[in-house]
Amino acid sequence: MNRRILSCFVGVLVWCLVALCIPNDASAAEPVKLTLREAVTMALAQNHDLKIARLKVTENEQKKVAAKADYFPAIKNESRVAHVTSLENIGIPAGAFGVFPNAGLVPNREILLGQGSQTFVTSGTGASQPLTPLIRIHEANRIAASEVAVSRDDLKKAENEVAVTVHQLYYAILIARLQKQAAEQERTYSRTLLSESNEDLRNGNALKVSVIESQAGLLQSEQDLLTIDLRLSDLNSELNELLGLPIDTPLVPSAVEPAILNDSSREETLAMALAENPQISAAAEAVQQAKAALTAAKSAYIPDVSVFARQSYQNGVPFLVHNFGTFGAALNYDVFDFGKRRAVVREREAQVAQAKENLERLKDAVGVQIEQSLNKVQRTRQMLQVASEVVKLRQEGERLAENQMIQGIVLVSARSQATAASYKAQADLLQSQLAYLLAHAELEQTIGRTPGM
């Protein structure tokens, strides 16, 4: 009986292991086909960094709303219940007001006047409107508005960076796919060459060294294929992370049509960059923030004046009616602070100078980036033209090798070698085409636009 139970248990265990080892095709992720524009749109909508940047914009917008509320009166209620351990009473002794005929002492006995109750209640609701502090409140609102603008510029910069990164990864996947085809053709050539070397060795027409070299070439082609597969896997994972997709989602990018884009002049491009670049816009907002902070610091020399009105209720406090109102004005001023306000003003002046200098630095840096980007676009366009000529020559060489193989002039390995060279030239052409498009996308990013949108 024990052996039968044991055998049943082993059988169930084996079936479980077999079930675990069988791949589940239903659970495999479906390949996602997408164009470059779709990839950019998806990344802008789902990227985690961009979601955080948008939440930062919302945060600063709410800070601005909170700062605007300081313009209006603050309505507050203050209520209190308290108990005192003892009270001082007013005593009027007998005869304090004199002795009168037929009346005697006035008062005729000692009178104690109570001074409220030991337990008393107070409650008041009032409104206070700042007057001179409105200067600082106005500058605080300017700073809050600038922070909103800066956060939006930061979001725009992050979107442009994500879009360029999508271009880079998308193009890299396309290039790697074509490079894989070229590597497969190279492997086919290496196998054919190894087969021919073995045949020549058996016929006594070649040495052993030629076979060894052919074997080494085949192994090298296998290694190149493995390297490309690994690179494709890494690129796929990086693009998935950027798009906000599961990391193992297979991506099938569509081909990109080659195009020669129209470029503006250097002067027009620089003018557009100075007007649209988010870094320059953020730096300009930083100057406005620093100026607002300087004005607020100078307003510290002005007394704080506010007006107020209050309606109060009390029970248990002497000499006051139950309900009464108060209104008036309040003034608060620091007569002497040992130079603190002057130091703060000088600090703000230094911050204004720093912000202006940083703005000029960024303008110069963007000018350099525009120059470099335009030069890169021009160089990649020239490389594209060269690569196109190479493809034509390689395709012609492949055609001639095919004809010569049919006529028996060359071996099959020569045709395979020409085909592999043609595929490699096509991969190089695609790389040149995408390098040109990527250079143009980077130029769009420097200007301050989102590439691919």
Side-chain angles (χ1 to χ4, degrees), residues 284-321:
E285 290 295 337
V287 173
Q288 298 303 317
Q289 287 185 39
K291 289 181 177 179
L294 175 59
T295 304
K298 290 179 178 179
S299 70
Y301 287 100
I302 303 174
D304 290 345
V305 179
S306 60
V307 294
F308 64 90
R310 177 185 173 96
Q311 177 66 30
S312 302
Y313 166 82
Q314 67 81 23
N315 183 20
V317 179
F319 304 116
L320 290 178
V321 297

Side-chain angles (χ1 to χ4, degrees), residues 385-395 425 428:
Q385 295 173 354
V386 173
S388 299
E389 294 299 324
V390 173
V391 167
K392 293 179 182 178
L393 293 175
R394 291 299 186 185
Q395 288 176 343
D428 292 341

Side-chain angles (χ1 to χ4, degrees), residues 15-35:
W15 277 108
C16 290
L17 291 174
V18 170
L20 290 174
C21 293
I22 296 176
N24 187 2
D25 294 334
S27 63
E30 291 292 332
V32 177
K33 297 181 179 180
L34 72 169
T35 63

